[in-house]
Amino acid sequence: MPLSLDAFGRMLDETGLPLTDAQKSVLFDAYPMFQAMLARATAPLPREAEPAVVFDPDVR
């Protein structure tokens, strides 16, 4: 269910930040991009990306 501008505005009002309607609108426009970045950043990594697999303890 997509978030409406009114619901997003209420969410921002709860933060206590003094934002104008124009500022809320700009943040609302960027919100889907932020959600996409958050989904990519928190996605599980493959086993090959684990530090224990990448780390080579042999010092030469």
Side-chain angles (χ1 to χ4, degrees):
M1 176 176 164
L3 189 64
S4 70
L5 180 57
D6 292 334
F8 187 74
R10 284 191 301 274
M11 214 168 49
L12 288 174
D13 290 340
E14 290 178 5
T15 66
L17 294 171
L19 298 172
T20 65
D21 288 338
Q23 289 171 319
K24 290 177 186 178
S25 179
V26 169
L27 289 172
F28 181 71
D29 291 341
Y31 186 67
M33 291 183 290
F34 175 72
Q35 287 293 337
M37 287 189 311
L38 186 62
R40 284 192 308 270
T42 58
L45 295 174
R47 184 178 184 287
E48 296 80 33
E50 289 293 324
V53 176
V54 176
F55 180 69
D56 183 12
D58 291 336
V59 178
R60 297 174 192 192

